Amino acid sequence: MKKNDKSKSEGIENFLCPTTDLYITQGAGEKFSHKGVMACDIRGKEKGVRYPYFAPCSCKCIKTYESFGEAIFKSIDKVRFANGIVDYAVFITAHDNNMIAKENMIFMQGDLLGHMGDKGKATGVHLHFEVGTGPDTKLYKNKYGNYALKNEIDLDDAMFIDNTNILTKRGSWKYTNKINNKKYLNLPKTFTKWRVYKENVIPIKKNACGYLNPKKFGGLSYEILGFTDNNSCVVIKTRDYGIVKIYIKKTKASITFSPLY
């Protein structure tokens, strides 16, 4: 991305690559500092140059670690990730020699967040960048002794690379113009029974026309055909019951722009 870039689809911010150039010098899970961590080290086109990086979404600075030039940010609202998931984003930047971010500061998408650097444990000038989904901003120590975010994801699943020069062969990168505007209902594998109903009945237990078993299939995803019952139910097409509705309000079902299962 470039300074002041903004990107939304259907009113939801798209999570963008924070740099103008993308050259990955160390990938997820590599070497000592990235063992068990879905972080990447990113530098610009020229080695040693302290290129700027920008806010990939509108976000708040939650915590800083000055000795490492490190900051933890959380998105202000839910964002769309490159893999289609819509959720809160938590991300880490590190090695900035002259940090702009301070705790509780708000940045809008496209604002300058800082510059690549080599502060702390770093070999060469770069940006350490890692992303997690969900609202948890706590760092967890893994079995290798490295700290990581909960629910971390690969950068090619996290960020769209609009207005970024790809200078690396790593990753399967995505652009926002490829966003699928279809929506999908995802039923997690932790459930063995999920009731479905004909469209013309009240969605209560006695009116169920059948059951779905997400656990049997490792989770189930369906294209959403519509919403009903004051948006508490979605309409889907199933193999065994045809077109039915399913109650999702206050459940662990999720809605994304690509199927999870």
Side-chain angles (χ1 to χ4, degrees):
M1 69 185 298
K2 297 178 181 178
K3 187 177 181 180
N4 297 324
D5 274 358
K6 299 185 185 304
S7 178
K8 277 188 176 182
S9 299
E10 296 189 343
I12 301 170
E13 282 189 347
N14 301 311
F15 192 84
L16 299 177
C17 174
T19 58
T20 302
D21 299 317
L22 183 63
Y23 187 109
I24 295 176
T25 58
Q26 183 180 178
E30 294 182 8
K31 299 181 181 179
F32 301 104
S33 61
H34 287 193
K35 280 286 188 181
V37 181
M38 305 301 288
C40 286
D41 291 341
I42 302 169
R43 72 164 173 84
K45 185 176 181 180
E46 301 295 332
K47 187 184 295 186
V49 177
R50 301 182 190 278
Y51 290 99
Y53 56 92
F54 309 100
C57 62
S58 297
C59 56
K60 180 179 180 179
C61 181
I62 303 299
K63 182 74 174 176
T64 61
Y65 301 90
E66 294 283 346
S67 60
F68 293 97
E70 181 176 340
I72 300 176
F73 300 88
K74 178 185 174 183
S75 63
I76 294 172
D77 296 307
K78 290 183 178 181
V79 302
R80 179 181 294 101
F81 295 98
N83 61 5
I85 290 175
V86 175
D87 204 341
Y88 287 98
V90 177
F91 62 94
I92 295 175
T93 63
H95 306 309
D96 195 330
N97 296 79
N98 302 105
M99 294 178 65
I100 296 172
K102 305 295 180 185
E103 290 181 18
N104 297 317
M105 283 182 66
I106 300 292
F107 296 87
M108 304 309 293
Q109 188 177 45
D111 286 352
L112 178 68
L113 277 190
H115 293 80
M116 299 178 186
D118 55 6
K119 193 170 186 178
K121 296 179 180 178
T123 303
V125 172
H126 66 272
L127 168 67
H128 173 101
F129 190 58
E130 57 188 289
V131 181
T133 63
D136 192 341
T137 61
K138 183 179 177 181
L139 292 177
Y140 296 86
K141 194 173 186 179
N142 65 25
K143 64 181 180 180
Y144 302 105
N146 294 323
Y147 287 91
L149 294 167
K150 191 175 184 180
N151 301 322
E152 287 193 344
I153 57 175
D154 275 315
L155 293 194
D156 57 359
D157 283 329
M159 61 191 194
F160 295 97
I161 47 87
D162 296 34
N163 284 335
T164 295
N165 301 316
I166 303 300
L167 305 175
T168 182
K169 294 181 179 179
R170 308 178 189 220
S172 178
W173 308 105
K174 304 170 184 68
Y175 295 84
T176 57
N177 63 2
K178 298 297 183 182
I179 289 175
N180 183 353
N181 288 323
K182 293 180 180 179
K183 293 182 180 179
Y184 294 85
L185 172 70
N186 306 291
L187 307 178
K189 62 183 178 181
T190 49
F191 289 83
T192 56
K193 270 190 173 183
W194 210 303
R195 299 183 188 92
V196 293
Y197 308 88
K198 295 298 184 183
E199 292 183 84
N200 61 345
V201 303
I202 299 171
I204 56 178
K205 186 177 180 179
K206 68 177 183 180
N207 290 336
C209 65
Y211 298 88
L212 301 177
N213 186 350
K215 186 174 183 179
K216 181 179 178 180
F217 301 96
L220 290 169
S221 293
Y222 297 92
E223 182 181 343
I224 293 175
L225 304 180
F227 293 83
T228 185
D229 296 87
N230 293 319
N231 293 324
S232 64
C233 293
V234 297
V235 180
I236 59 175
K237 184 176 183 180
T238 65
R239 182 192 64 185
D240 296 331
Y241 307 108
I243 295 178
V244 292
K245 66 184 179 183
I246 182 169
Y247 186 83
I248 63 165
K249 190 175 182 180
K250 295 183 179 179
T251 69
K252 293 186 180 298
S254 64
I255 295 174
T256 60
F257 287 83
S258 60
L260 299 185
Y261 309 108

